[in-house]
């Protein structure tokens, strides 16, 4: 396969996954902002969302004040933000258009229709006052995109590069989400009282994290008890049967990398395989004992290194 074709397929999948992940985080954060809390607590919640995508600096430069409306505007429809949903959906569509010959008609039409429908929804005056319907639609279109890709495309290199892009992006997002939310839980900015109020807020905080990755019902099924931080971390890091866990994402990346391996990719495969093994044999108590933030920071460095290796071995070289 031509490196440019592989590059477009890879980034088409990454951008669509990023749009969905952004919609998930915005939706949950918006729901959390409706709970009784201080103004400072609400602001810190929105700041945490910006920090997940490392966009705080760009946001402050453009908007200044951190509040729900400004963050929603910046993350949903701001064309100057390369990680906004609008930018991601557009980039996914443009990459799909560039390689229409490598896609089935259904895949192309799904990407194109997603772009057209999202633009139509953005024209509604209620988008920022009630972002729920728009965000849910983005998630639904992303599910549809993945489903039609797996359901209609030949299982060849084109599909494998799409899958690599999807799960590499998902792993990166899950790690960032966990890191920011666990640090938030350990800080003192929530402004809740002790006792029952604190326990109630604690439940909503952890359940919101689980809902942002569609894991609330999964948690209940697996652990059958109250929501505990260490169990949330275990589910989203080490459970390979959890679709959005780090372990499952890395397993998918490694299996698809094996299917497209070439003479240059040995080192990238080795590093990905080592990360897979580390996740397979890790124990959550050891991770928490050494520090979750340090562990997730190292994971992000390693997954980023694998992404650079994939670009070097298969795709259009990155411009320094």
């Amino acid at each position: 396969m031509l490196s440019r074709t592989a590059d477009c397929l890879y980034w088409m999948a990454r951008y669509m996954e990023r749009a969905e992940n952004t919609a998930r985080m915005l939706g949950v954060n918006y729901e959390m902002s409706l709970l009784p809390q201080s103004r400072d607590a609400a602001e810190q919640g929105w700041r945490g969302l910006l920090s997940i995508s490392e966009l705080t600096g760009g946001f402050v430069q453009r908007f200044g004040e951190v509040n729900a409306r400004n963050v929603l505007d910046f993350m949903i429809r701001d064309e100057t933000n390369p990680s906004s949903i609008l930018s991601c959906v557009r980039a996914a569509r443009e990459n799909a258009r560039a390689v229409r010959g490598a896609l089935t008609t259904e895949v192309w039409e799904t990407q194109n229709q997603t772009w057209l429908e999202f633009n139509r929804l953005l024209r509604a005056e209620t988008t920022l006052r009630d972002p729920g319907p728009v965000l849910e639609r983005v998630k639904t279109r992303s599910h549809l995109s993945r489903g039609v890709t797996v359901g209609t495309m030949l299982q060849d290199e084109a599909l494998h590069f799409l899958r690599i892009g999807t799960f590499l992006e998902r792993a990166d997002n899950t790690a960032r989400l966990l890191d920011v939310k666990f640090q938030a839980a350990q800080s003192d900015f929530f402004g809740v009282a002790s006792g029952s109020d604190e326990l109630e807020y604690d439940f909503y905080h952890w359940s919101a994290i689980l809902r942002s990755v569609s894991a609330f019902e999964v948690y209940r099924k697996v652990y059958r008890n109250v929501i505990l931080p260490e169990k949330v971390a275990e589910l989203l890091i080490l459970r390979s049967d959890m679709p959005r866990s780090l372990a499952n994402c890395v397993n998918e990346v490694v299996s698809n990398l094996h299917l497209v391996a070439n003479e240059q990719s040995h080192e990238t495969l080795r590093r990905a395989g080592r990360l897979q093994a580390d996740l397979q044999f890790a124990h959550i108590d050891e991770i928490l004992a050494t520090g979750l933030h340090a562990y997730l920071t190292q994971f992000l460095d390693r997954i980023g290194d694998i992404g650079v290796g994939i670009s070097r071995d298969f795709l259009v070289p990155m411009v320094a």
Side-chain angles (χ1 to χ4, degrees), residues 159-160 163-164 167 251-260:
L159 180 62
H160 302 324
R163 301 287 283 176
I164 290 170
F167 287 103
N251 286 346
E252 291 285 351
V253 170
V254 171
S255 63
N256 283 279
L257 272 177
H258 276 292
L259 294 171
V260 297

Side-chain angles (χ1 to χ4, degrees), residues 215-235:
F216 183 78
E217 291 82 3
V218 173
Y219 182 97
R220 291 298 197 190
K221 182 176 181 179
V222 172
Y223 296 106
R224 301 177 184 276
N225 57 13
V226 296
I227 300 177
L228 302 173
E230 61 271 22
K231 296 300 183 183
V232 173
E234 181 180 60
L235 179 69

Side-chain angles (χ1 to χ4, degrees), residues 57-217:
F59 172 86
V60 172
Q61 184 178 8
R62 180 162 172 77
F63 287 91
E65 182 182 358
V66 178
N67 57 42
R69 184 178 182 84
N70 287 346
V71 175
L72 288 168
D73 192 349
F74 184 65
M75 296 299 293
I76 292 176
R77 64 184 188 182
D78 194 321
E79 295 185 4
T80 68
N81 174 13
S83 293
S84 70
I85 296 176
L86 175 65
S87 296
C88 289
V89 173
R90 179 199 289 122
R93 190 254 187 187
E94 289 304 306
N95 278 284
R97 185 178 61 84
V99 289
R100 285 185 62 177
L103 305 173
T104 61
T105 299
E106 290 87 349
V107 172
W108 160 248
E109 289 180 347
T110 298
Q111 290 292 335
N112 193 45
Q113 185 61 33
T114 297
W115 165 247
L116 296 174
E117 183 174 326
F118 183 68
N119 274 274
R120 186 169 62 251
L121 290 172
L122 286 185
R123 290 194 289 270
E125 295 181 358
T126 59
T127 298
L128 299 184
R129 292 202 306 270
D130 181 19
V134 174
L135 299 176
E136 282 299 317
R137 196 57 185 161
V138 172
K139 289 163 56 179
T140 300
R141 296 299 302 187
S142 180
H143 295 323
L144 180 60
S145 176
R146 265 195 314 276
V148 76
T149 298
V150 175
T152 67
M153 287 189 63
L154 189 67
Q155 295 185 11
D156 60 0
E157 287 186 333
L159 180 62
H160 302 324
F161 279 113
L162 286 167
R163 301 287 283 176
I164 290 170
T166 294
F167 287 103
L168 204 66
E169 182 67 31
R170 187 178 295 181
D172 180 270
N173 179 263
T174 299
R176 291 177 186 276
L177 174 72
L178 277 171
D179 191 23
V180 170
K181 294 301 184 182
F182 268 77
Q183 288 187 72
Q186 294 170 0
S187 71
D188 59 358
F189 62 63
F190 288 111
V192 294
S194 59
S196 61
D197 289 342
E198 184 178 5
L199 291 174
E200 182 179 5
Y201 191 93
D202 206 41
F203 169 80
Y204 281 117
H205 178 76
W206 296 115
S207 64
I209 294 174
L210 291 171
R211 290 184 189 281
S212 69
V213 289
S214 297
F216 183 78
E217 291 82 3

